[in-house]
Short mmCIF file of all heavy atoms in Angstrom, two decimals:
data_model
loop_
_atom_site.label_atom_id
_atom_site.label_comp_id
_atom_site.label_asym_id
_atom_site.label_seq_id
_atom_site.Cartn_x
_atom_site.Cartn_y
_atom_site.Cartn_z
N GLN Y 694 103.20 93.57 99.58
CA GLN Y 694 102.99 92.13 99.75
C GLN Y 694 103.95 91.36 98.83
O GLN Y 694 104.28 91.82 97.76
CB GLN Y 694 101.55 91.79 99.41
CG GLN Y 694 100.58 92.54 100.31
CD GLN Y 694 99.15 92.14 100.07
OE1 GLN Y 694 98.87 91.02 99.66
NE2 GLN Y 694 98.25 93.06 100.31
N PHE Y 699 102.28 91.61 92.01
CA PHE Y 699 101.97 90.24 91.57
C PHE Y 699 102.22 90.11 90.07
O PHE Y 699 101.30 90.22 89.26
CB PHE Y 699 100.55 89.87 91.97
CG PHE Y 699 100.40 89.69 93.45
CD1 PHE Y 699 100.07 90.75 94.28
CD2 PHE Y 699 100.66 88.45 94.04
CE1 PHE Y 699 99.97 90.59 95.66
CE2 PHE Y 699 100.56 88.28 95.41
CZ PHE Y 699 100.22 89.36 96.23
N GLN Y 702 100.27 87.69 87.41
CA GLN Y 702 98.96 87.95 86.78
C GLN Y 702 99.05 88.82 85.52
O GLN Y 702 98.01 89.20 84.97
CB GLN Y 702 98.03 88.63 87.81
CG GLN Y 702 97.59 87.74 88.95
CD GLN Y 702 96.52 86.74 88.53
OE1 GLN Y 702 96.41 86.39 87.35
NE2 GLN Y 702 95.73 86.29 89.48
N ARG Y 706 95.86 90.04 83.40
CA ARG Y 706 95.45 91.45 83.39
C ARG Y 706 95.28 91.94 81.95
O ARG Y 706 94.39 92.75 81.66
CB ARG Y 706 96.51 92.30 84.09
CG ARG Y 706 96.56 92.07 85.59
CD ARG Y 706 97.37 93.15 86.29
NE ARG Y 706 98.79 92.90 86.30
CZ ARG Y 706 99.45 92.33 87.32
NH1 ARG Y 706 98.80 91.94 88.40
NH2 ARG Y 706 100.75 92.16 87.28
N ASN Y 720 86.71 94.71 90.97
CA ASN Y 720 88.02 94.10 91.19
C ASN Y 720 88.14 93.73 92.67
O ASN Y 720 88.52 94.55 93.49
CB ASN Y 720 89.11 95.10 90.77
CG ASN Y 720 90.51 94.53 90.88
OD1 ASN Y 720 90.69 93.31 90.96
ND2 ASN Y 720 91.51 95.41 90.88
N PHE Y 722 89.65 91.89 95.96
CA PHE Y 722 91.01 91.60 96.45
C PHE Y 722 92.01 92.34 95.53
O PHE Y 722 92.90 91.74 94.94
CB PHE Y 722 91.30 90.09 96.46
CG PHE Y 722 90.26 89.28 97.19
CD1 PHE Y 722 89.18 88.69 96.53
CD2 PHE Y 722 90.36 89.09 98.57
CE1 PHE Y 722 88.24 87.94 97.21
CE2 PHE Y 722 89.42 88.34 99.26
CZ PHE Y 722 88.36 87.75 98.58
N SER Y 723 91.83 93.61 95.43
CA SER Y 723 92.50 94.40 94.37
C SER Y 723 94.00 94.58 94.58
O SER Y 723 94.72 94.84 93.64
CB SER Y 723 91.85 95.77 94.28
OG SER Y 723 92.13 96.53 95.46
N TYR Y 724 94.47 94.52 95.84
CA TYR Y 724 95.84 94.89 96.18
C TYR Y 724 96.22 96.20 95.48
O TYR Y 724 95.62 97.23 95.74
CB TYR Y 724 96.83 93.75 95.88
CG TYR Y 724 98.24 94.10 96.28
CD1 TYR Y 724 98.49 94.67 97.53
CD2 TYR Y 724 99.31 93.90 95.42
CE1 TYR Y 724 99.78 95.04 97.89
CE2 TYR Y 724 100.59 94.26 95.78
CZ TYR Y 724 100.82 94.83 97.01
OH TYR Y 724 102.08 95.20 97.36
N SER Y 725 97.20 96.18 94.56
CA SER Y 725 97.69 97.41 93.93
C SER Y 725 96.72 98.01 92.92
O SER Y 725 97.04 99.00 92.28
CB SER Y 725 98.99 97.08 93.20
OG SER Y 725 98.70 96.19 92.14
N ALA Y 727 95.93 96.61 90.19
CA ALA Y 727 96.48 96.38 88.85
C ALA Y 727 95.42 95.91 87.84
O ALA Y 727 95.36 96.43 86.72
CB ALA Y 727 97.64 95.39 88.93
N PHE Y 728 94.57 94.95 88.23
CA PHE Y 728 93.50 94.53 87.31
C PHE Y 728 92.58 95.72 86.98
O PHE Y 728 92.12 95.87 85.86
CB PHE Y 728 92.66 93.39 87.92
CG PHE Y 728 93.17 92.01 87.65
CD1 PHE Y 728 93.84 91.29 88.64
CD2 PHE Y 728 92.97 91.41 86.41
CE1 PHE Y 728 94.30 90.00 88.40
CE2 PHE Y 728 93.43 90.13 86.16
CZ PHE Y 728 94.10 89.42 87.16
N VAL Y 743 88.28 96.65 95.56
CA VAL Y 743 87.93 96.32 96.95
C VAL Y 743 89.08 95.54 97.58
O VAL Y 743 89.53 94.53 97.03
CB VAL Y 743 86.65 95.45 97.01
CG1 VAL Y 743 86.29 95.12 98.45
CG2 VAL Y 743 85.49 96.14 96.30
N ASP Y 744 89.55 96.01 98.73
CA ASP Y 744 90.58 95.28 99.46
C ASP Y 744 90.41 95.59 100.94
O ASP Y 744 90.01 96.69 101.32
CB ASP Y 744 91.99 95.67 99.00
CG ASP Y 744 93.04 94.62 99.35
OD1 ASP Y 744 93.37 94.50 100.55
OD2 ASP Y 744 93.51 93.91 98.45
N VAL Y 745 90.75 94.64 101.78
CA VAL Y 745 90.59 94.82 103.23
C VAL Y 745 91.70 95.71 103.80
O VAL Y 745 91.57 96.25 104.90
CB VAL Y 745 90.53 93.44 103.93
CG1 VAL Y 745 91.92 92.83 104.04
CG2 VAL Y 745 89.86 93.54 105.30
N SER Y 746 92.77 95.86 103.03
CA SER Y 746 93.92 96.61 103.54
C SER Y 746 93.91 98.06 103.05
O SER Y 746 93.84 98.32 101.84
CB SER Y 746 95.21 95.89 103.08
OG SER Y 746 96.24 96.81 102.84
N ALA Y 749 96.80 98.75 100.76
CA ALA Y 749 96.59 98.26 99.39
C ALA Y 749 95.73 99.25 98.61
O ALA Y 749 96.03 99.58 97.45
CB ALA Y 749 95.91 96.88 99.42
N ALA Y 771 87.31 97.15 102.52
CA ALA Y 771 86.28 96.30 103.12
C ALA Y 771 86.68 94.84 103.00
O ALA Y 771 87.47 94.47 102.13
CB ALA Y 771 84.95 96.51 102.40
N ASP Y 772 86.09 94.05 103.89
CA ASP Y 772 86.21 92.60 103.77
C ASP Y 772 85.36 92.18 102.56
O ASP Y 772 84.16 92.48 102.50
CB ASP Y 772 85.68 91.95 105.06
CG ASP Y 772 85.48 90.46 104.89
OD1 ASP Y 772 86.34 89.82 104.27
OD2 ASP Y 772 84.46 89.94 105.37
N ALA Y 773 85.98 91.53 101.60
CA ALA Y 773 85.29 91.20 100.35
C ALA Y 773 84.08 90.30 100.58
O ALA Y 773 83.08 90.41 99.87
CB ALA Y 773 86.26 90.52 99.39
N PHE Y 774 84.16 89.43 101.59
CA PHE Y 774 83.04 88.51 101.84
C PHE Y 774 81.78 89.29 102.24
O PHE Y 774 80.68 88.98 101.80
CB PHE Y 774 83.42 87.49 102.93
CG PHE Y 774 84.43 86.49 102.47
CD1 PHE Y 774 85.80 86.77 102.56
CD2 PHE Y 774 84.04 85.27 101.94
CE1 PHE Y 774 86.74 85.85 102.13
CE2 PHE Y 774 84.98 84.34 101.50
CZ PHE Y 774 86.34 84.64 101.59
N ASP Y 793 90.45 87.59 92.93
CA ASP Y 793 91.83 87.08 93.06
C ASP Y 793 92.27 87.10 94.53
O ASP Y 793 93.12 87.89 94.92
CB ASP Y 793 92.76 87.94 92.20
CG ASP Y 793 94.21 87.45 92.22
OD1 ASP Y 793 94.42 86.26 92.48
OD2 ASP Y 793 95.10 88.28 91.97
N PRO Y 794 91.67 86.22 95.34
CA PRO Y 794 91.94 86.26 96.79
C PRO Y 794 93.34 85.75 97.14
O PRO Y 794 93.99 85.11 96.31
CB PRO Y 794 90.87 85.34 97.38
CG PRO Y 794 90.46 84.44 96.27
CD PRO Y 794 90.71 85.17 94.98
N PRO Y 795 93.78 86.02 98.37
CA PRO Y 795 95.05 85.43 98.83
C PRO Y 795 94.87 83.92 98.98
O PRO Y 795 93.74 83.42 98.92
CB PRO Y 795 95.26 86.07 100.20
CG PRO Y 795 93.90 86.46 100.66
CD PRO Y 795 93.11 86.79 99.43
N1 SAH L 1452 94.77 90.89 92.28
C1 SAH L 1452 95.94 91.47 92.90
C2 SAH L 1452 96.57 90.55 93.93
C3 SAH L 1452 95.68 90.19 95.09
S1 SAH L 1452 96.55 89.66 96.50
C4 SAH L 1452 96.94 91.87 91.81
O1 SAH L 1452 96.75 91.55 90.63
O2 SAH L 1452 97.93 92.50 92.17
C5 SAH L 1452 95.27 89.41 97.65
C6 SAH L 1452 94.73 90.68 98.30
O3 SAH L 1452 93.59 90.32 99.08
C7 SAH L 1452 95.66 91.39 99.26
O4 SAH L 1452 95.84 92.72 98.84
C8 SAH L 1452 94.95 91.37 100.62
O5 SAH L 1452 95.07 92.59 101.35
C9 SAH L 1452 93.52 91.16 100.21
N2 SAH L 1452 92.64 90.52 101.18
C10 SAH L 1452 92.91 89.50 102.03
N3 SAH L 1452 91.80 89.13 102.70
C11 SAH L 1452 90.80 89.93 102.26
C12 SAH L 1452 89.41 90.04 102.57
N4 SAH L 1452 88.83 89.21 103.44
N5 SAH L 1452 88.70 90.97 101.91
C13 SAH L 1452 89.27 91.81 101.01
N6 SAH L 1452 90.57 91.75 100.68
C14 SAH L 1452 91.33 90.82 101.30
#
Side-chain angles (χ1 to χ4, degrees):
Q694 300 184 28
F699 290 90
Q702 291 284 25
R706 290 194 276 264
N720 184 17
F722 308 94
S723 68
Y724 183 47
S725 65
F728 271 104
V743 180
D744 200 288
V745 76
S746 147
D772 168 41
F774 290 86
D793 182 25

